[in-house]
Amino acid sequence: MHNLLRGVGFITGAASGIGKATAFSFARHGVRQLGIADINISAAEKAAKALNSQFQGLQAIPIKIDVTDHVSIEDAVGQAVDKFGRIDYAVNNAGIGGPADLSTEHDIKDWQKTIDIDLNGVWMSSRAELQVMQQQEKLENSPRLNRGVIVNVASMYGIIATSLNVPVISYTAAKHGVIGLTKADALAYAPKGIRINAICPGYVATPLVLNSMPSEVRDREISKTPVGRMAQMDEVGDMITFLVSPMSSYMYGAALIGDGGFTIQ
């Protein structure tokens, strides 16, 4: 399993939650050069230190990134390329939940903030990564390997509407946009040897969810999940590892749902 991946990883929002779990999954499965990009540089430094201490031969470097600023994004991607020479696996994970407000109650500034981070930030990150990947060669000449692979982190709420129990309208709009972006870019860049997909998790036991969602709301949502629990962060990290790996080499523009059965009801 540790040889599933080889090459350079770059993950936004990698200091905690799904991003950090993905970094650990990448390291478990063979990545030995990894950019830990996050707006919280001290947390990114701690995550990189933990990774380097646990995995022999790993070079994980902390990188400051603000996904609302294209200059910051380009600088972060540039730092990874300057250090490692390329980016093979990029995961655009940085995001926020946004307020739980119906449209008539939603503050316009809050709407713009959520869209700016959760959709515009994914697009600008992907744009910078694509510019790098177009210029690099495959790790080897195989139909199952690519010039680069990108995974955009969407949500099951990019597939369905949120319930009135959790009316995160701006988040839902942004995640639907991420899936549309993923499909459009996958179509455009497949002929160039770059593979792009999205991951659509259901409820995940991240610090953000556990700390921001009231327990009674969380319990109601879990009761609607057939498997009867939230996902663990490493389960989502492993799904992302699958999506960047040669095991998913014929998947282009897919929105892979991992939601414990929430959306099949």
Side-chain angles (χ1 to χ4, degrees), residues 12 14 23 33 37 54 56 66 68 89 103 124 135 158 160 186-187 189 192 197 213 227:
T12 71
Q33 296 172 312
Q54 183 168 332
Q56 185 175 8
D66 177 353
T68 68
Y89 317 116
S103 287
M124 290 190 291
Q135 304 302 317
I160 62 172
L187 181 64
Y189 291 95
K192 299 178 184 292
N197 292 292
M213 182 180 284
V227 75

Side-chain angles (χ1 to χ4, degrees), residues 8 29 48 80 103 134 202 235 255:
V8 178
H29 291 281
S103 287
Q134 287 187 116
E235 292 180 289

Side-chain angles (χ1 to χ4, degrees), residues 42-56:
S42 63
E45 289 168 349
K46 290 179 183 177
K49 183 178 180 181
L51 283 156
N52 289 330
S53 65
Q54 183 168 332
F55 298 97
Q56 185 175 8

Side-chain angles (χ1 to χ4, degrees), residues 3-26:
N3 292 322
L4 182 63
L5 302 180
R6 59 189 184 87
V8 178
F10 177 83
I11 305 168
T12 71
S16 64
I18 291 171
K20 184 177 178 181
T22 301
F24 274 84
S25 182
F26 277 15

Side-chain angles (χ1 to χ4, degrees), residues 6-260:
R6 59 189 184 87
V8 178
F10 177 83
I11 305 168
T12 71
S16 64
I18 291 171
K20 184 177 178 181
T22 301
F24 274 84
S25 182
F26 277 15
R28 284 196 303 273
H29 291 281
V31 166
R32 286 298 172 265
Q33 296 172 312
L34 190 54
I36 304 298
D38 203 281
I39 195 167
N40 185 338
I41 190 61
S42 63
E45 289 168 349
K46 290 179 183 177
K49 183 178 180 181
L51 283 156
N52 289 330
S53 65
Q54 183 168 332
F55 298 97
Q56 185 175 8
L58 178 66
Q59 286 183 286
I61 61 168
I63 302 173
K64 174 83 170 183
I65 193 170
D66 177 353
V67 298
T68 68
D69 179 1
H70 74 93
V71 174
S72 175
I73 292 169
E74 290 158 10
D75 181 64
V77 169
Q79 286 183 54
V81 175
D82 287 345
K83 177 68 174 180
F84 301 129
R86 59 189 291 128
I87 294 175
D88 296 288
Y89 317 116
V91 181
N92 297 317
N93 165 73
I96 60 173
D101 292 324
L102 297 173
S103 287
T104 50
E105 302 160 0
H106 208 307
D107 183 83
I108 290 175
K109 288 183 179 179
D110 287 340
W111 172 277
Q112 291 171 334
K113 179 180 179 181
T114 306
I115 297 298
D116 205 20
I117 295 172
D118 288 0
L119 178 55
N120 297 341
V122 170
W123 174 71
M124 290 190 291
S125 298
S126 184
R127 177 177 179 269
E129 295 149 5
L130 284 165
Q131 289 170 342
V132 170
M133 291 175 178
Q134 287 187 116
Q135 304 302 317
Q136 62 194 25
E137 295 302 319
K138 295 181 180 181
L139 289 170
E140 67 178 56
N141 188 22
S142 165
R144 299 197 72 170
L145 294 178
N146 306 88
R147 279 196 170 88
V149 185
I150 295 174
V151 174
N152 296 322
V153 177
S155 166
M156 68 179 180
Y157 289 133
I159 303 291
I160 62 172
T162 50
S163 67
L164 292 178
N165 189 43
V166 190
V168 282
I169 306 302
S170 53
Y171 177 86
T172 302
K175 295 304 185 179
H176 273 72
V178 167
I179 292 175
L181 164 66
T182 299
K183 292 178 179 180
D185 274 353
L187 181 64
Y189 291 95
K192 299 178 184 292
I194 300 170
R195 198 159 59 82
I196 307 170
N197 292 292
I199 184 73
C200 302
Y203 285 104
V204 186
T206 65
L208 178 65
V209 170
L210 295 176
N211 293 331
S212 65
M213 182 180 284
S215 59
E216 64 274 13
V217 175
R218 188 166 66 241
D219 291 344
R220 263 197 304 264
E221 293 302 295
I222 293 173
S223 73
K224 295 188 287 185
T225 304
V227 75
R229 64 175 178 87
M230 302 175 81
Q232 296 301 305
M233 291 181 288
D234 62 338
E235 292 180 289
V236 182
D238 287 346
M239 286 189 283
I240 293 171
T241 293
F242 164 73
L243 281 177
V244 303
S245 80
M247 295 180 71
S248 63
S249 58
Y250 207 60
M251 292 177 68
Y252 289 78
L256 182 65
I257 302 172
D259 64 356

